[in-house]
Every structure is written in structure tokens, then in C-alpha cells.
Amino acid sequence: MVRGKPDLEIKIGGLVLKNPVLTASGTFGYGREFASLVDPADLGAVVVKGISLEPRSGNPPPRIVETPCGMLNAIGLENVGVEKFVSEKLPFLRENGVCVIVNILGDSVEEYGRLAEILDNAPGIHAIEVNISCPNVKQGGVAFGLDPEAARAVTAEVRKKCSLPVIIKLSPNVTDITSIARAAEDGGADGVSLINTLQGMAIDIQTRKPRLANVIGGLSGPAIRPVALRMVWQTAKAVSVPVLGVGGITTPEDALEFLIAGASAVQIGTGNFINPRATIQVIEGIEKYLIEHDMNSIHDLIGSLNG
Amino acid sequence: MKQIDAEILKIEPVAKDIFRLTLKAPDIAEAAAPGQFVMIRPVSGFDPLLPRPFSLHDWSEKQGTIVILFRVVGKGTGILAQSRHGRKLQVVGPLGKGFDITSAESVCLVGGGIGIAPLLGLAKRLPEADAYNEIAVLLGGASGEELAPLAECLDIPGLAVRLATDDGTLGHHGVVTDLMENHMTRDRDWLVLSCGPMPMLKAVAHLCRKNGWPCQVSLESVMACGMGVCLGCAVKSPAGNGHEGYLHVCKDGPVFWESDVAW
Ligand SMILES: Cc1cc2nc3c(=O)[nH]c(=O)nc-3n(C[C@H](O)[C@H](O)[C@H](O)COP(=O)(O)OP(=O)(O)OC[C@H]3O[C@@H](n4cnc5c(N)ncnc54)[C@H](O)[C@@H]3O)c2cc1C
Ligand SMILES: Cc1cc2nc3c(=O)[nH]c(=O)nc-3n(C[C@H](O)[C@H](O)[C@H](O)COP(=O)(O)O)c2cc1C
Ligand code: FES
């Protein structure tokens, strides 16, 4: 019997993605940079580099350092700002039929709301992902993502200011990530993505100086994968909205683990640096696995962890 | 820009800790320009994790090959040095903005240490020598032992190579900027194209600024992606030149006009 291809479609709020493989913010630029290696329209979605109201120039170098099976980054949220994003970066994505999710960041609840409002009116954007790992400047600088009440407030504000699906990107630097996930769901999130980077540090023992100018950076890559997987599993049980799994995914096998743990989709970050075609290979690998395991749909796999 | 699994055709020791690696990479050879680089993944696993940047030392469109000249400094380069022919390596390239050799009356190539790597591909592809009044090649290194084999890599018929070493064991006893001052006569319009360690580039840029010689430098930085997305390879740019504080070595460079860099 000739079977059709398995169904890879997933939904986040009202948004239908053709497959469950996305790029993670900050690791695929604005989609264009990889275009000669990967057709961004073949991906479930491209999550673009975090955008703020005003352009940001970022931290002084050194900004990255390699660590065992991982890397630390302290880029400092360098970005072109929302105005330039909409006028210079978005048209390419729109004209090429790319599913675009815009990652946003701000210093205050109002700033997130303002960004949501501006992006709601820009054609070619399919969803918003809210990076809540940023300091809440008006409230003593504690990151929104560390406090359930602040996370709920940001989510509700973004929800109110736009009609697009809203995904909240969670910080792993908390005691209980499920409480933040539930707060985001309460605030009206259509999905949650996790994890953002884990805070880390490295020292040059010869000079006794920190290896990053910013001293502290965010750890990503295969080193964080088991932590991310555990948090995704816990969160998928705690909320009813879709969970997007992020953290150390570079191969189809890695992605399958997250889907089985309950993620509806995965994002590939540092994996793009290691192998620029990782996203495409993961899509192909998931499809192959479904066929080999006689599954017609990705939904047969999602959350199918055996006790 | 292409991503390929390139077969190692040849790996030869050139000097202590320095190797020449020839890879089968027709798509990259075809698109390459002087001063561009490639990202090579030393292992297929995760340790070391990231691909490593290397300048294109030379390439042949006809043979479909690219050549890298590298020094062993750590884990990734150590693994590369022990690779044998036949092994395949993930290579992405060509990447970045290379040397701009469009307009000059005379050119001076200035290299230091392993920084001479991109100068071979560049020297071979300069417009016909008679398009210039002169092509000068000035190289610096710590000692004769280090510099002699590197200088040999730049042995192109018709090009006179002048050398300087810190310990005086080969060529001029001193630094490469001494050679520039001695050799670059004021009656010519020079274009300086330079690659080497940061302190050398800084001295070269300073001298060029003083003498009004336009100068391009090939910079290094830690890199994760090599294609302008991670923003990890930032270098400070002087205020008010329209780059919002930082340039990125992998996409705005690695070759920059000296005046675009905040030394
Ligand atoms: C655009 C560009 C072109 C380059 N071209 C060449 C080339 O043609 N030939 C060549 O031999 N090397 C070249 N390099 C440097 C080369 O990329 C590094 O030497 C290499 O990444 C080191 O990898 P490793 O795993 O052996 O060292 P690691 O184990 O990662 O590090 C060992 C030591 O080397 C230092 N180091 C690591 N990366 C760099 C870097 N990018 N630049 C300077 N020091 C570094 C580290 O701080 C550490 O002290 C180039 C770098 C760039 C950015
Ligand atoms: C260089 C770099 C830049 C990043 N920039 C952002 C960003 O702007 N916004 C954001 O929400 N996450 C950002 N991240 C986090 C990633 O999107 C991802 O959550 C994290 O790296 C873990 O996934 P990975 O292990 O697959 O990389 C960045 C990560 C890296 C490595
Ligand atoms: S190395 Fe990633 S932006 Fe330059």
C-alpha cells in the first residue's frame, strides 16, 4: 500500500505551521542570512532576532566563548529596532512566503505593549514571541520571567495590544518554571517556548579575567539539552497551550525526544551554527521516524512518552 | 555561500605546528575572492562544538580545490592537524568581505605570522603586475625559524618578499613597520593590504594614517556562526561612521578599511 506523507502540521492559537521545526531567536538572524543554504519558507517558522523599540548596539566584545558541548553568549540584545525591522528586514520574509514569528523584548510592560501594537499593523507577521528574560527596569530590574505576576502582566498587555498569536518565551533561571508558564497561560498566551539560555560564566585562569566582557552570559547548545527536556516535560503537563521545546537540539533524535516529552514544536538555536542545515535535516528525520513507526500524524507522537 | 562535506585531498606539515590543508570544494573555489574565509567543523560530534574560521590561503577553480594554511593553537586545530586524507570535513563558505583591490597605483602586502595565509590568494589575484608601479610584500615574524617556512608559502615568481624578525635571525632585525618606512617611497600612491596579529595591525594602521596611505586590514575575532546571525564577532567602530557602535567581523569584514576600526 502506498501511504501519503505523514501530517506534520501543528497549531499555535489560530496559526497553522506546516511542520514543527522553527529557528530559535538570535540564531538565524532575520532569515535572509541563511537563504543560500536553507529556504526559510521550508521551515515551520522563522523566529527572528529579538527586536526592541529602539535599536540597541549590544555589549562590548568578547561576547561569546565556547564551553564543553555548549557556548556562552552575552550579545546584549543587539538589534536594528522595530522601525528598521519592519522597513528593511520584513519585506524579504514576506515576499518569500516565510512564516514569521517576531521575538520582542523591552524594559517595561508598556514597551512590550507598544511593540505588539506596531507589529500587529505590519503585514507578513504570523505570531509574536515575547522574550521575558529581560530586566523590568521600572520594577528594580528583576527579569519579568522570574516573577509570575510580572510574566502575567506582560502577557496580558501584549495580548491586549495585538490580534496575533502570542508565545511567551520562558527563562530557565527560576525555581519552578511551571509557575511562570501557568502565569503566561493565565495572561492569555497561545503557547510557551522554553528554554532561553541558562546563566553561566567562564574564567581565563592565565589572566584571571572573565572570558566575557559582560562576565555573565547565557549557556546554550547540547550541554543544556537534558535540562531543557526536563523543563519541557514538566511544563507540558502543567499547561494546556502548546509548548515549543528549545535547548540544545541539533539532530532529528534530539527533536523527537522533545516531541515525545510533550512539545508540539521545537526550535533550533545553536544547532544552526554547528550545522547550518540542521533545521532541514531535523524536518526530514522527523518525517522518516513517523513513517518508520507507522504514524500518520505528528500528533500521534507529541506527548507520547511511555510511563 | 555553500555548505559541503569536503574531502581532505592533502594535509602537509609546513613548519612546526603549521599545516597546509587541501580540500575538494568546487562550489567554494568557484565563488571565492581574496580575503574571504570558510568555517570548518573539526569534528562531527560536539567537542569542540563550533566550526572554526580560516582564511582562504589559495584555491583553484579548475581543480575544484581550496587550500587552508593553519597554525595549531588548541583543540580544533589540533584535531585538524591529525586528520588524514580521505576524511570529510563540513565546510561552509566562501564567507565575508575580502580585500578591495580595485584602485591603486602601487600595493604593499603586509603580513605577520600565520596572518600571511590570505596573502597568497590575494597576491596571485592582483591585476597583472604591470598594472601597478610596484607590488611590495613585507612580512614579519618572531624568528627566522618561524618566518622562513611561511615566507616560502608566498613564493610567487616576480614578487620580491622582504622580511623582518623580532630576534634578527632572518632579514631586518625589527618589526614589519620598519620595512614599510624604509620601503614605501613617498612619491607613490600606495594601497596597503594587511593581515596579522592585532598589535601588528594596529601599528600598521597607525603608520598608514600618519602617511596618508589607504589601508585595509583583515581582522580576527571569536566566531560562532560566521554568517552574520549570532552577532558574537563584534569589533568597535569609531563614533559617527554610521555603524551604530559595532561592526561584525564575519559579515562587514573580515577585511576592513583601517578607518572603520576603533583602534
Ligand atoms: C576570519 C578569520 C580567519 C582566520 N584565518 C586563519 C588562518 O588562515 N589560519 C589560522 O591558523 N588561523 C586562522 N584564524 C584563527 C583560527 O580560527 C583559530 O586559531 C582557531 O579557531 C582556533 O581553534 P582551536 O580549537 O584550535 O583553538 P581553541 O581551543 O578554541 O583556542 C585555543 C587558543 O586560541 C585562541 N583563539 C581561538 N579562536 C581564535 C581566533 N578566532 N583568533 C585568534 N585566537 C583564537 C583562544 O583564545 C585560545 O587561547 C582565523 C580567524 C578568523 C576569525
Ligand atoms: C547568540 C545567541 C543569541 C540569542 N538571542 C536571543 C534573542 O534575541 N531572544 C531570545 O529570546 N533568545 C535568544 N537566544 C536564545 C535562543 O533562542 C535559545 O533559547 C537558546 O539558545 C537555547 O537553545 P539552543 O541550545 O538550541 O541554542 C539567543 C541564543 C544565542 C546562542
Ligand atoms: S560570527 Fe556570528 S555574527 Fe559573526
Side-chain angles (χ1 to χ4, degrees):
Chain A
M1 195 181 85
V2 181
R3 303 177 55 130
K5 284 195 163 201
D7 176 14
L8 293 184
E9 254 180 40
I10 63 132
K11 272 195 195 149
I12 302 167
L15 175 65
V16 177
L17 303 183
K18 69 165 126 183
N19 65 59
V21 179
L22 294 74
T23 60
S25 178
T27 65
F28 206 72
Y30 301 104
R32 187 173 203 146
E33 295 85 343
F34 276 68
S36 56
L37 304 180
V38 172
D39 180 350
D42 288 343
L43 305 175
V46 167
V47 182
V48 300
K49 174 72 187 163
I51 301 289
S52 49
L53 269 184
E54 300 300 330
R56 295 193 184 192
S57 56
N59 288 329
R63 292 177 171 190
I64 48 180
V65 56
E66 191 176 280
T67 55
C69 299
M71 62 177 276
L72 289 166
N73 88 78
I75 305 302
L77 299 168
E78 173 178 348
N79 78 91
V80 297
V82 70
E83 194 178 314
K84 210 163 160 186
F85 168 73
V86 170
S87 64
E88 291 179 17
K89 308 292 180 184
L90 191 55
F92 168 84
L93 296 166
R94 189 168 57 225
E95 284 153 23
N96 286 281
V98 181
C99 181
V100 181
I101 299 180
V102 181
N103 181 286
I104 60 171
L105 62 110
D107 287 338
S108 64
V109 170
E110 297 72 34
E111 214 172 306
Y112 281 103
R114 185 79 196 101
L115 278 161
E117 213 165 28
I118 296 169
L119 294 169
D120 199 29
N121 292 315
I125 296 172
H126 298 77
I128 289 183
E129 181 181 69
V130 186
N131 178 0
I132 56 170
S133 299
C134 309
N136 184 350
V137 170
K138 289 191 183 164
Q139 301 287 329
V142 174
F144 296 94
L146 305 191
D147 168 19
E149 191 34 49
R152 199 201 55 77
V154 174
T155 312
E157 177 71 7
V158 173
R159 174 72 295 152
K160 193 169 87 192
K161 292 289 166 60
C162 77
S163 55
L164 297 164
V166 174
I167 299 162
I168 304 298
K169 172 124 178 229
L170 305 178
S171 164
N173 304 306
V174 292
T175 318
D176 176 14
I177 201 164
T178 62
S179 67
I180 313 287
R182 277 193 296 265
E185 189 177 29
D186 279 352
D190 297 291
V192 289
S193 52
L194 62 146
I195 58 177
N196 210 318
T197 54
L198 282 158
Q199 286 197 326
M201 178 173 169
I203 295 172
D204 181 332
I205 59 165
Q206 298 309 325
T207 60
R208 279 183 269 148
K209 283 184 180 167
R211 287 197 184 266
L212 295 171
N214 190 54
V215 185
I216 288 174
L219 183 64
S220 65
I224 70 168
R225 202 178 79 223
V227 177
L229 184 65
R230 184 264 294 176
M231 290 186 169
V232 163
W233 177 69
Q234 290 175 322
T235 303
K237 290 191 299 180
V239 297
S240 53
V241 292
V243 172
L244 291 86
V246 200
I249 300 172
T250 63
T251 66
E253 293 74 24
D254 301 343
L256 289 163
E257 273 196 276
F258 280 81
L259 295 167
I260 293 167
S264 296
V266 295
Q267 297 183 0
I268 296 175
T270 304
N272 294 308
F273 307 157
I274 306 167
N275 168 10
R277 286 189 51 79
T279 45
I280 297 299
Q281 291 169 6
V282 168
I283 296 170
E284 290 167 358
I286 292 173
E287 198 167 80
K288 186 158 166 267
Y289 179 92
L290 293 178
I291 294 169
E292 282 170 5
H293 290 77
D294 261 333
M295 295 182 187
N296 294 320
S297 157
I298 187 80
H299 296 279
D300 299 341
L301 183 70
I302 294 170
S304 64
L305 182 70
N306 288 322
Chain B
M1 182 208 311
K2 287 282 170 21
Q3 175 174 347
I4 52 176
D5 286 320
E7 188 186 334
I8 299 179
L9 297 178
K10 213 171 359 167
I11 177 144
E12 321 150 72
V14 168
K16 187 176 170 304
D17 290 336
I18 296 183
F19 292 81
R20 189 191 289 115
L21 170 66
T22 306
L23 296 164
K24 183 94 193 157
D27 289 344
I28 295 176
E30 195 179 307
Q36 286 191 299
F37 69 101
V38 292
M39 293 293 278
I40 301 183
R41 194 174 165 192
V43 294
S44 54
F46 300 136
D47 186 24
L49 184 71
L50 299 166
R52 303 301 200 237
F54 296 97
S55 300
L56 287 166
H57 178 49
D58 199 6
W59 59 96
S60 161
E61 236 184 289
K62 218 169 98 212
Q63 288 162 14
T65 54
I66 59 172
V67 184
I68 305 302
L69 188 71
F70 70 93
R71 182 195 295 279
V72 175
V73 299
K75 198 158 197 168
T77 46
I79 292 169
L80 283 183
Q82 280 160 26
S83 299
R84 292 288 159 264
H85 91 265
R87 197 188 146 202
K88 287 194 171 174
L89 296 169
Q90 177 188 296
V91 185
V92 176
L95 297 164
K97 218 163 70 16
F99 291 99
D100 174 359
I101 44 178
T102 43
S103 62
E105 211 181 275
S106 294
V107 289
C108 183
L109 311 186
V110 183
I114 193 67
I116 67 117
L119 299 184
L120 176 67
L122 170 64
K124 282 190 173 176
R125 284 162 189 84
L126 288 172
E128 287 300 305
D130 55 12
Y132 299 106
N133 284 328
E134 187 178 350
I135 300 174
V137 184
L138 312 176
L139 305 180
S143 65
E145 198 190 355
E146 185 214 349
L147 192 56
L150 289 172
E152 255 170 60
C153 295
L154 267 187
D155 186 22
I156 303 172
L159 273 193
V161 177
R162 291 176 178 78
L163 307 175
T165 51
D166 297 343
D167 65 1
T169 49
L170 182 67
H172 169 75
H173 187 168
V175 288
V176 81
T177 41
D178 299 342
L179 297 181
M180 291 173 71
E181 287 193 281
N182 294 344
H183 191 77
M184 293 170 64
T185 51
R186 315 279 141 157
D187 58 331
R188 295 195 175 160
D189 280 336
W190 288 97
L191 171 65
V192 175
L193 307 171
S194 184
C195 185
M198 203 58 178
M200 182 204 99
L201 292 180
K202 196 170 171 170
V204 169
H206 184 79
L207 185 65
C208 288
R209 217 172 260 202
K210 207 173 84 188
N211 288 287
W213 297 319
C215 169
Q216 296 167 26
V217 291
S218 179
L219 298 187
E220 286 193 7
S221 146
V222 191
M223 290 189 177
C225 71
M227 28 210 282
V229 303
C230 75
L231 309 180
C233 60
V235 287
K236 193 110 189 111
S237 177
N241 76 345
H243 295 292
E244 286 144 19
Y246 293 105
L247 289 159
H248 298 94
V249 174
C250 73
K251 81 169 179 322
D252 303 313
V255 180
F256 296 93
W257 286 103
E258 165 279 309
S259 51
D260 284 336
V261 179
W263 297 99

